[in-house]
Amino acid sequence: MVSERDIFDISGPLHLSSVNWKCPQHRRSVAASLVQSCYVLERDRQQNCLASEALAPAWWKFFHFELIRTLIDDADFSIFGAIFKFNPPISMQNSTMSDAPKFVIAFRGTITKKDSLARDITLDLHFIRNGLHKTSRSDIAMQAVRNVVSAVGNVNIWLAGHSLGSAMATFAGRNMAKTGHLLETFLFNPPFFSAPIERIKDKKVKQGLRIANSFFTAGLAIALKGRHEKSSEDSFTILSAWVPSLFVNPDDHICSEYIGYFDHRAKMEEIGVGSIERLATQNSIGDLFLSAFGKESEPLHLLPSANLTINMSPSPDFKTAHGIHQWWTPDANLQTKEYRYR
């Protein structure tokens, strides 16, 4: 049965009949719509839709993109992403067009339908274990990004993802940043797996737990990493030039820890223990223990820099708080702050 949320004319950002590519709200809305199209592409596939019945194309054609390629998982043959090319008519040329993306590589998150659920859940578990980078889906995504950058350069190429797809976009963006290619990246409801400290209402208790966690993590890093500590910091510093845009909702426990993650770093600087936090912020306790046992681990959720946007609008339930549709709502109450690792 078709959901109204997949029908662009009902649920899409119809108010964006003219896109100002310099406007953050417009850029965010377009990126989120292209991610949504990846969800609908897979649902169209699962429902065996004919081309004339497919709902996905409206999500990219409205903004004058064309579908260049779908990204197919080699385990279950589901569509997990897509590559889009911006191809506007000559009549649309305006002064903001130079800020439009040439290509957008978008990734969907988990779909709770039987044809893709098992594979998606498996990948969610890989992410929790800091092992998403070792999966074949990550390899396919990374190769797709490399191919586009190799063909056209890294100017005006966007990465975008939601939930699990955000983790995939983070993986690709981090790897490209390590080689000097800084791609504009939109991460919607990116997963941050940790103790749910952000959900604690008492601010003093919350801050105390974060400070204790920082000292414990930093101490553990020194004890377990030793001489490797400097190379880890150098890697984090190199990565800091990449500033992805994160979009989180405080009522979404999957991504809300990013709020405290970045805010706490600023507070640690204020109380004079920034050096402790700089060490803690580039390590996770799980990663440290895995490394101690000789297991390869890459905690994708640890980011040096970011433009963090928080949706302060009330969410009636978790599904709404974690949903992609909130990110093109024109009257959302959003707060944005830039964090730079120094």
Side-chain angles (χ1 to χ4, degrees):
M1 187 174 179
V2 173
S3 168
E4 288 188 352
R5 297 176 71 79
D6 285 350
I7 302 174
F8 184 85
D9 287 342
I10 296 176
S11 300
L14 295 171
H15 60 283
L16 288 183
S17 55
S18 177
V19 176
N20 177 353
W21 292 103
K22 292 184 182 295
C23 174
Q25 177 192 335
H26 289 196
R27 294 162 71 85
R28 179 189 75 245
S29 299
V30 172
S33 295
L34 293 177
V35 172
Q36 168 67 359
S37 75
C38 295
Y39 280 103
V40 186
L41 273 166
E42 172 55 16
R43 285 193 277 265
D44 281 347
R45 183 193 72 85
Q46 292 189 19
Q47 294 170 13
N48 298 311
C49 289
L50 299 174
S52 60
E53 301 171 332
L55 298 175
W59 290 90
W60 64 77
K61 288 183 177 180
F62 184 82
F63 300 108
H64 303 285
F65 283 86
E66 58 180 288
L67 177 64
I68 300 300
R69 176 191 165 193
T70 55
L71 303 179
I72 311 296
D73 191 287
D74 62 348
D76 65 355
F77 305 107
S78 65
I79 298 171
F80 71 89
I83 302 173
F84 302 97
K85 181 181 180 180
F86 187 48
N87 191 20
I90 295 176
S91 60
M92 275 193 60
Q93 301 298 325
N94 60 52
S95 60
T96 74
M97 202 62 70
S98 61
D99 292 280
K102 295 178 181 177
F103 290 87
V104 178
I105 306 153
F107 306 98
R108 67 164 175 84
T110 301
I111 290 181
T112 55
K113 301 290 184 182
K114 64 178 183 179
D115 288 354
S116 55
L117 179 60
R119 175 62 169 166
D120 287 352
I121 292 296
T122 298
L123 291 165
D124 289 333
L125 293 174
H126 277 292
F127 172 80
I128 292 172
R129 297 195 295 263
N130 295 334
L132 188 64
H133 62 292
K134 294 185 286 186
T135 65
S136 60
R137 183 179 289 190
S138 291
D139 291 340
I140 295 167
M142 193 68 247
Q143 191 57 53
V145 174
R146 288 196 183 105
N147 288 346
V148 174
V149 172
S150 176
V152 302
N154 62 357
V155 179
N156 286 3
I157 294 177
W158 289 5
L159 299 177
H162 174 253
S163 195
L164 174 61
S166 279
M168 206 64 68
T170 301
F171 170 68
R174 285 171 64 104
N175 280 346
M176 297 308 295
K178 291 174 184 176
T179 61
H181 298 288
L182 306 179
L183 305 183
E184 185 158 1
T185 306
F186 298 80
L187 305 175
F188 300 102
N189 302 84
F192 191 115
F193 182 71
S194 74
I197 298 176
E198 192 59 29
R199 299 182 71 82
I200 297 173
K201 301 301 181 183
D202 190 308
K203 291 184 177 180
K204 289 184 178 180
V205 172
K206 186 190 300 185
Q207 185 175 359
L209 286 173
R210 290 199 185 281
I211 291 173
N213 182 69
S214 292
F215 275 93
F216 180 76
T217 303
L220 196 62
I222 294 171
L224 295 179
K225 286 193 171 184
R227 57 191 174 85
H228 299 297
E229 177 190 334
K230 183 63 178 174
S231 62
S232 173
E233 184 173 355
D234 290 343
S235 175
F236 216 63
T237 301
I238 291 170
L239 195 60
S240 66
W242 176 56
V243 188
S245 296
L246 276 64
F247 302 92
V248 305
N249 188 310
D251 294 323
D252 174 13
H253 62 267
I254 290 177
C255 67
S256 62
E257 282 304 307
Y258 269 115
I259 299 171
Y261 173 75
F262 285 109
D263 184 59
H264 176 63
R265 277 170 31 178
K267 284 185 169 58
M268 291 289 276
E269 289 285 352
E270 290 174 6
I271 64 176
V273 287
S275 59
I276 296 294
E277 183 56 24
R278 281 192 290 276
L279 180 55
T281 198
Q282 57 191 279
N283 293 283
S284 72
I285 294 174
D287 174 53
L288 290 168
F289 278 115
L290 287 171
S291 298
F293 287 99
K295 295 185 177 181
E296 184 186 359
S297 174
E298 184 172 356
L300 298 176
H301 61 289
L302 302 183
L303 298 172
S305 306
N307 281 313
L308 181 68
T309 296
I310 304 171
N311 186 359
M312 302 302 294
S313 303
S315 297
D317 50 38
F318 168 74
K319 185 176 181 180
T320 302
H322 188 64
I324 187 72
H325 290 66
Q326 66 184 299
W327 300 115
W328 58 74
T329 302
D331 57 352
N333 178 15
L334 305 181
Q335 297 179 1
T336 300
K337 185 175 181 179
E338 182 179 87
Y339 294 89
R340 291 274 189 160
Y341 179 80
R342 308 189 192 285

